Amino acid sequence: MQNQTLQLGCRCLNALAMVILTSALAFAGSTPELHSVLPRGIQRGSEHTLMLQGARLNDATEVFFYGEGITSKSIKVVDNKKLEVVVEVAPDCRLGEHVLQVRCDQGISDFRSVFVGPYPTVKEKEPNNDFAAAEKVELNHTVAGKIRREDVDCFVVSLKANQRMTVEVEAVRLGTFLDSVISVYDSEKKEIAVCDDTELFSQDGFLSITAPLEGDYYVMIRDAAYNSNNDAHYRLHVGDFDRPQMMFPAGGQSGEVLNAAMLERQTPDMESVVQRPAADIQLPDMKQSSEVLSNGPSPLPLRVCAFENFNRADDGKNLKFQDALEVSTPIAINGRFATAGQQHFYKFTAKKNEKLAIDVFAKRIGSPLDPIINVFDEKNKSLVGNDDSAVRPDSFMVFTSPADGTYFLRVIDYFNRGGIDMIYRVEIAPVRPLLSLNVKRIDRFSQRRMAMAIPQGGRFATVLSAKKEHFAADVELKFDGLPEGVTAKMHPLNKNAKEMPVVFEASEDASIDLEKVTLSAKAKIKKTESKEGDKGDAKAEPVGPVFDTEFTLTSLDSRGNPNNFVYHPTVVDKLAVGVIKKLPFSITVEPLKAPLVRNGSAKVKVIAHRDEGFKEKIRLQFPYRPVGVGMTYQIEMKEDQTEIEYPINANKGAQLGKWPFYVIATANVSGPAWASSQLETVSVEEPFIAMSSKRTVVGRNETVKVVCQVEQLRGFPGDATAVLRNLPPHVTVAGPVNFDKATDAIEFELKTNDKTPFGQHKSIFVEVVVPVGEGRSVARAGNVVLQINQPLKQKPAIAMRKAAK
Amino acid sequence: MNFVSVTRTIMASVFCLALLIQMVPCAKTATAQSKSEPVDLRIYPETISLNGARDSHTVIAQTVFADGITAGVTEHLGLKIADEAVARLEFGRVFPMKDGKTNLTVTYKSFTKVIPVTVSNSRADEALSFQLDVMPVFSKTGCNAGSCHGAARGKDGFRLSLFGYDAEGDYFRLTREMLGRRVDVALPDDCLLTNKATNRVAHSGGKLFETDSEYYQVLKRWLEEGAKFDGDEVATVVSIQLLPENGLLSGEGASQQLNVTAHYSDGTTRDVTNLAFFSTSNSDSATVSQEAMVTGGRRGEAFVMARFDTHTVGSEFITLPRDLEFEDQQDLYPENNFIDTHINAKLKKLRIYPSQLCSDEQFIRRVNIDICGQLPTVEEVNAFVTDENPTKRSVLIDRLLCQDAFLDLWVMKWAELLQVRANRKTIYTKGAFLYFQWLREKFYNETPLNQIVIELMGANGSTFDNPPTNFYEVDRDQLKTAENVAQVFLGMRIQCAQCHNHPFDRWTMEDYYSFASFFAKVRVKPTADPREVIVSQGGGKETKHPVTGATMMPKYLGGNSPDVKGKDRRIVLADWIASAENPYFAKNVSNIVWAHFFGRGIVDEVDDVRISNPPVNAALWDALGQSFVKSNFNLKDLVRQICSSRTYQLSTQANESNQSDLTNFSHASLRRMRAEVMLDVLAQVTDTTNKFAGLEMGARATQIADGNTTNYFLKTFGRSTRESVCSCEVKQEPNLSQALHLLNGDTVHKKIKAGNLIGKWQKSGLNKTEIVEKLYLRILSRSPTESELKSVLATLAESEIESKKNSEVAAAERKSLEDLFWALLNSSEFMFNH
């Protein structure tokens, strides 16, 4: 009973603490959060009020969009957690997902999305779970609804004979996990069409029917296994729009006119496909992929490349290796397996060591094809192949030509299927050196600290993750379009590094503002045009760019089973960098005066500059760690503390070189506020000294000398000192031993007493402090083994033993 | 316990007692006549062929009486060899003397039979064979049994392969593992092999045989001959024969000697009676000694088996009470269809009279629960009972077969066999749901069952687009898939043969891995959706025999090796399984269906078909299978045949002759309703609804798609978790938790309250007698008997007297009637289908 009371008491205390904490966080202020945007979709060409819900939003000053076409006209702060935002959507606004984010005076929120559609929206009203309760919907309207567990929503549409009706759902794309099934019933309640998943939009489906008779037609939507979230939003577009599943060819050369045909499924079982006559499409003048709009609610993907198309006729030939069609790379082949069992061969030439990326588009262009590719040499020997790439089931591989020669690419379908919709697009082009960048996640799924909110006169910092494909070089990064008064401090990205820290600084007078910043990069590579003999003299200097740079940030909200799989990541290609109100604190770190040697340690002195009266705890973290350098995750400065030392250490394998670092601080300023130190450098170097010693044996109450052999690894000026650390209790040693760069052995005199524990002590080490300039380098130079022996027990005399018996 | 519950319990007891009285079987006596004059003498074997100097053969005899009773008379035979220079007799055993032919004359009472004897190779006395002579000794004396050295890790440091599946391995371990200790060719009498077996050296297994025994002499001679392994070609046992094939023993103690003859691949035969291992399926009715003597016990039948090498064969023995009098009364039991013909034939053999037909009330209730998993309504019961149409039972069966509930029940049963559930490793909720939907669609479209099997086993593509592919996602282990296919479609449990030859059946490791090889090429690859995979045929390594390392090519179980080159092996197998000629599939499916309607299969358990578990009525089993094939594997037709039979319509009340019969369907058995049906029925009678995850309100428990969807009630009442294909997944045995849940749990009480039927009836002006009548009809499909009604009304009156005010009377009446409702739902008569 006593325990129970105690537990109860603890619980009450916890609850109280929670209340206090929550009330502190509930105050408006730093680090605002945006959780949801309602309604999930709006019509273009009109004005709407969006309800934004989140936390710490009451100093919101701007709602900004990443794409063109939507502008925020006014913001009304309802309360700390809610904003009402009036937005205007341009009539030519791009359809589909648009990303928005809230800027507050003291922070920048997460980004979330809203969808733009062509039709006016009607809200679903429950109950509408069966035919009898079906809600009337007019054509060319969008129903905004919710599916609860085991919920079915039913709508009725009146159609004339031969009138077309297309239904498309946006559900998983909206960010909630609803694996929808849409079905259409005739007036006799007989199912005439159903769609679960589509290649184009995965879990989101669409279907079209042509009404055989005039009458009421029912549209039903539910979760495929009645297993959705209880609060799953959907947007159901019901109209007479065209809804092509794919186009053929599914891409073309940038700036050219593409003659392409739309393919559409229109029958109940979604099995047979109708191909509409080809029409001309003016392709945009862009480097890479784009999308073309249908007149329906969401876009149809279209590839745009720098190289031309090769469109093969539906001849049913090319079943044999010998009949390969000749193409010259780079090329985009558009093909179709019109009949089952076809194999398509293409012949191309490649130089020795030429690396060609062979990328097959099927699912990505809405095709049901499951391609498998292989490259053969002239002797019909398979060299390399691929079934599924990361974008399943599409195929991708890099083919490195083993010699100058002719090679054969074979494309087949996994199930040898054929049909008008069995289309593919193979792009063969030299590999594209690519640098992909993003902001390293702090949390597995949230967007915490992924927007750069820099306090006036202060700093904020982040770590960028970088992936280099098909090139190896140091890279210099540049942020384009930073707000005025903001600078980004960083070192070049090391050739071998996958992460790099960036510290943003805002001047005192920088105005509170925000920009969506792009990133560009240049390689620092050795001259490639130098002659063979010049290899040794080649200097590192920036040339290029020699690669493409991609920057993306991903919101991982649309998660579901299994394992929090992200079904629809929302991606932006710019970084939100903003200046926020000055914080009542900032921090700086003192530059390290000595290198951090392998097996060594150092202390980073962090100084907090508190405004008068600012008495919050400040927690410090070290978000970027060079390889082999470690430290505790977080240390804390007390309310009145202004200085603290953050210990760091390097292991024996720490990567050598000069590495940037920063310390980030957080304190409660009406919510968690973050400030970074300036960017500093730590030099990781080889140690100066290595020591070794033989096992030393001693008894209790004795004195012994431990002799350490000194290996001078590199010279140093002046005197260094050595001390023994981690000695067992009741062992004393005379003061530090001084030595210099010529010393080859040192001695420590140890004393034991009558309490010194017996046994072997292996964790003793020699710590050496070497003077380097104004600083001192501290390192473990070697281990010492000390054995404290127990005196041998005297065996009792035989007579004694007998007597004892 | 509060006052209310005390009252309730007492009332329940009163009601239950009243109900139980209705169910006490009323025994009916039957008499018959049996005569005891032998009319025939059967001598086994009919010819004797001795090959080699060591060969010998025993002779056994069985007399047959006019009424079919048999008796073993081996020890009373007069034996004489015509030419004693060719063969000699010793202890009733024929031994060779020289090559030639002679006759053995057998006399018993007035019977004389002549058995031709042929002797060949009489001088040949070849060295003993390890596999043909030594290993059978290990098997006979139990050395290589699982409890002894046949255990996976052996016993006391010595291991033999279980039941001798690995001759080479056994030879190696015996002769090479402990050099000079286990075998000693120089001192055969003084090595571990002979010393342990005779317990001259302490042996955990004790003394297995004496030094002068035949078994010892075999081991000794093999050692003396150098303890050699066999050459390349050793004859294998092709089949064994157990004689006599059956026996009808009269009374306890009646006996019959058996004989086992092995037929080898080289054409020779051998009397292996002394090397075969004997067992019985029912030691209560017939025991069998290891000396091959069957002895009768209590009335009943037993299957006596002999195992030699990898072969097991059995003989059917029936024991009847001594001098039982039996009169054939077949005319009194008209046969509705072939089922009755076979059942009656078997019952006649057992001297059993079937029970009488059940009443109309019992029939309409029974058939509604069995076919549709629901109770008949009050109106349906009244209409049926008063219907004068002589074919009304057939009409009712046909009407029920047209209901969706019938299909739902069978979709559920097959969903259990196919393990339709989200296992959250390979199948997620959506996959399970689509799989179930597919199955449901097939049953709703009346797709023949063999067609469903073909579609399932040959399925290719995405688990979402083509849901039967989920069949291969239930377990990605090809061995497990093979085992499941054998168990579900063929009714065979071949799991044992994965590690050793099946001890009670004919399946060897070769059979197992050859069968598994049909699934060697199944390929699974992921898609963009983590819940979905693509199943196809292609790639994959061939199946290897784990002992020999040999590549195993596909071979049907008990059949030949088909040509699979360039074909989808799964489809080849599916075509074989689902063909009309398949010896197992149709019989297996019809047995599963049969078991649903009778509570036990003709082979029971239904998925444990093996030689050592024979059908209780092989002729019926065959006929059902043929009928199923003839109907093009039509489930409805099969159910119609079964339900139309007189056998199905028998009463649960036994007569004197069949009261001990639990296996031959001579009377109907009490069967507790299965969990889903019971919950649905509870909802039906209380006018309430159930709610399950993933199903709309009011959906029935039999419609649950995902095997993981369950609730406390279903779990308690033994719903299948669909975690294995085993028929044992569904538990229909009553237990205490179930009784307590019905008594005190929230299901019954809450449903009565929620449905408020009594209140509604009171409001509509029904008086309490009418309500009691309605309750009985609604729950038990019959009116209360006069004594029940009297007793119930008296109890109701008592509780009403306690009410002080008039206004309380109606409430008290409702309360008492609800108690009656509760008591009826707790009665055995409600819970059991009878």
Side-chain angles (χ1 to χ4, degrees), chain A residues 417-722:
Chain A
R417 290 166 294 185
I420 196 169
D421 54 341
M422 289 291 159
I423 64 165
Y424 63 84
R425 177 179 169 87
V426 188
E427 292 178 3
I428 312 174
V431 291
R432 197 161 64 101
L434 177 68
L435 175 69
S436 313
L437 296 163
N438 57 60
V439 172
K440 188 185 175 186
R441 278 183 186 280
I442 308 285
D443 289 336
R444 192 173 164 201
F445 297 116
S446 87
Q447 295 176 37
R448 203 149 65 89
R449 276 156 61 193
M450 284 172 70
M452 306 298 117
I454 312 148
Q456 284 171 323
R459 301 179 200 89
F460 187 81
T462 193
V463 178
L464 292 179
S465 293
K467 185 181 166 198
K468 300 188 201 84
E469 287 172 87
H470 308 302
F471 79 97
D474 290 356
V475 173
E476 280 190 347
L477 292 183
K478 188 167 163 259
F479 289 89
D480 301 316
L482 286 171
E484 209 159 305
V486 173
T487 49
K489 309 276 187 203
M490 59 200 153
H491 289 196
L493 172 66
N494 188 286
K495 188 166 72 173
N496 302 317
K498 291 177 180 158
E499 292 177 354
M500 66 174 285
V502 182
V503 174
F504 295 93
E505 289 183 8
S507 59
E508 290 278 355
D509 57 354
S511 53
I512 294 176
D513 197 8
L514 181 138
E515 294 293 343
K516 287 157 281 176
V517 171
T518 53
L519 266 161
S520 59
K522 276 183 181 178
K524 282 180 78 174
I525 57 167
K526 290 180 179 176
K527 276 186 180 175
T528 49
E529 290 168 15
S530 60
K531 288 173 190 170
E532 279 188 342
D534 297 343
K535 268 184 184 172
D537 303 322
K539 280 197 307 191
E541 62 178 56
V543 296
V546 294
F547 50 81
D548 298 325
T549 309
E550 274 180 11
F551 174 79
T552 51
L553 287 186
T554 312
S555 150
L556 307 178
D557 300 321
S558 160
R559 300 192 304 276
N561 284 327
N563 307 323
N564 277 313
F565 182 82
V566 179
Y567 282 86
H568 175 73
T570 300
V571 181
V572 294
D573 59 358
K574 293 186 180 73
L575 179 66
V577 180
V579 179
I580 59 168
K581 272 189 180 168
K582 187 176 167 61
L583 290 179
F585 74 100
S586 64
I587 59 161
T588 49
V589 293
E590 274 195 2
L592 288 168
K593 290 173 184 158
L596 176 66
V597 298
R598 283 177 168 176
N599 272 334
S601 63
K603 283 175 180 161
V604 178
K605 187 171 182 184
V606 185
I607 302 160
H609 310 278
R610 295 170 181 267
D611 281 5
E612 202 170 327
F614 185 73
K615 295 276 181 198
E616 292 286 339
K617 286 178 192 166
I618 300 176
R619 294 188 184 88
L620 303 171
Q621 290 174 10
F622 223 103
Y624 175 74
R625 300 165 181 213
V627 176
V629 176
M631 67 287 297
T632 54
Y633 162 67
Q634 182 171 281
I635 60 170
E636 189 178 285
M637 274 186 177
K638 302 228 166 0
E639 286 83 346
D640 51 356
Q641 212 174 347
T642 53
E643 278 186 22
I644 198 166
E645 285 187 325
Y646 206 136
I648 62 172
N649 58 66
N651 64 25
K652 66 178 179 186
Q655 204 165 4
L656 302 176
K658 288 191 182 341
W659 301 103
F661 76 90
Y662 68 91
V663 174
I664 200 156
T666 177
N668 181 24
V669 184
S670 311
W674 295 86
S676 167
S677 73
Q678 81 279 21
L679 192 70
E680 270 303 334
T681 308
V682 56
S683 174
V684 180
E685 296 180 5
E686 291 280 11
F688 291 92
I689 302 290
M691 289 194 187
S692 59
S693 67
K694 289 184 177 165
R695 188 177 60 154
T696 310
V697 182
V698 67
R700 278 181 173 173
N701 295 317
E702 286 178 1
T703 302
V704 70
K705 282 186 177 165
V706 176
V707 180
C708 294
Q709 301 299 326
V710 178
E711 193 185 349
Q712 298 280 355
L713 297 173
R714 52 193 182 118
F716 57 90
D719 275 358
T721 54

Side-chain angles (χ1 to χ4, degrees), chain B residues 379-609:
Chain B
E379 295 70 33
E380 282 169 346
V381 175
N382 287 334
F384 185 73
V385 171
T386 52
D387 190 352
E388 299 280 315
N389 183 357
T391 60
K392 65 181 178 182
R393 292 195 176 190
S394 303
V395 172
L396 174 61
I397 292 166
D398 284 339
R399 182 167 64 76
L400 292 174
L401 286 175
C402 293
Q403 295 192 14
D404 286 351
F406 161 69
L407 298 166
D408 285 343
L409 208 57
W410 285 96
V411 173
M412 175 185 71
K413 277 195 93 97
W414 278 90
E416 282 164 6
L417 293 173
L418 299 174
Q419 295 172 267
V420 179
R421 76 182 180 107
N423 58 25
R424 299 188 182 106
K425 281 185 223 151
T426 50
I427 302 179
Y428 295 90
T429 311
K430 183 176 174 182
F433 187 82
L434 293 174
Y435 193 12
F436 187 85
Q437 288 290 95
W438 173 82
L439 198 61
R440 189 176 156 126
E441 200 177 290
K442 291 288 145 191
F443 274 85
Y444 272 57
N445 292 340
E446 293 192 38
T447 312
L449 270 166
N450 65 333
Q451 196 53 43
I452 295 180
V453 172
I454 290 174
E455 284 185 38
L456 257 182
M457 289 182 59
N460 279 320
S462 139
T463 46
F464 284 1
D465 294 342
N466 190 20
T469 48
N470 281 295
F471 181 72
Y472 293 99
E473 281 294 279
V474 167
D475 207 310
R476 285 194 188 163
D477 179 3
Q478 56 147 313
L479 300 182
K480 191 84 186 147
T481 304
E483 288 169 9
N484 289 350
V485 165
Q487 193 161 347
V488 173
F489 301 135
L490 309 176
M492 294 168 187
R493 300 178 184 175
I494 58 168
Q495 286 86 335
C496 299
Q498 182 183 352
C499 304
H500 53 81
N501 296 335
H502 202 298
F504 311 116
D505 209 342
R506 58 179 152 147
W507 309 125
T508 61
M509 289 174 78
E510 279 76 12
D511 291 325
Y512 178 92
Y513 288 98
S514 303
F515 189 65
S517 170
F518 280 109
F519 304 99
K521 302 283 180 183
V522 177
R523 191 181 159 196
V524 173
K525 72 166 186 169
T527 66
D529 190 325
R531 303 165 300 162
E532 181 187 11
V533 294
I534 288 173
V535 175
S536 62
Q537 174 83 354
K541 288 178 183 168
E542 290 289 358
T543 312
K544 299 273 182 196
H545 191 297
V547 176
T548 64
T551 297
M552 306 306 289
M553 288 311 285
K555 181 170 172 281
Y556 303 132
L557 273 181
N560 56 2
S561 300
D563 174 23
V564 291
K565 202 174 174 189
K567 297 177 189 168
D568 186 333
R569 295 179 181 190
R570 301 168 304 155
I571 293 174
V572 172
L573 178 63
D575 287 342
W576 174 74
I577 288 178
S579 72
E581 292 74 36
N582 186 286
Y584 315 113
F585 177 70
K587 288 202 286 186
N588 173 53
V589 173
S590 43
N591 192 36
I592 291 172
V593 177
W594 177 275
H596 172 79
F597 289 93
F598 288 88
R600 62 175 287 130
I602 301 168
V603 175
D604 197 69
E605 303 275 336
V606 293
D607 54 3
D608 195 12
V609 176

Side-chain angles (χ1 to χ4, degrees), chain A residues 183-194:
Chain A
S183 34
V184 175
Y185 298 80
D186 64 14
S187 42
E188 304 293 314
K189 324 287 192 297
K190 185 172 164 273
E191 187 178 87
I192 54 172
V194 62

Side-chain angles (χ1 to χ4, degrees), chain B residues 59-169:
Chain B
V59 178
I60 59 161
Q62 182 183 45
T63 54
V64 186
F65 294 86
D67 56 359
I69 297 283
T70 63
V73 292
T74 306
E75 59 273 33
H76 304 298
L77 295 179
L79 299 173
K80 189 168 175 15
I81 291 280
D83 183 355
E84 295 203 334
V86 175
R88 68 187 158 88
L89 269 167
E90 214 172 287
F91 306 114
R93 208 176 173 93
V94 184
F95 289 89
M97 293 299 283
K98 68 164 192 183
D99 291 5
K101 288 187 177 178
T102 182
N103 289 326
L104 171 70
T105 309
V106 184
T107 52
Y108 174 72
K109 292 194 174 173
S110 58
F111 298 98
T112 303
K113 295 249 170 165
V114 176
I115 310 289
V117 178
T118 314
V119 176
S120 53
N121 299 319
S122 59
R123 301 219 174 266
D125 189 8
E126 288 171 7
L128 292 185
S129 151
F130 180 71
Q131 292 173 70
L132 299 183
D133 297 302
V134 179
M135 285 182 64
V137 173
F138 296 154
S139 297
K140 173 71 180 180
T141 55
C143 305
N144 59 16
S147 55
C148 293
H149 301 289
R153 292 178 175 191
K155 196 80 161 178
D156 296 345
F158 175 44
R159 187 170 96 78
L160 285 170
S161 59
L162 188 63
F163 303 116
Y165 65 83
D166 178 17
E168 272 185 64

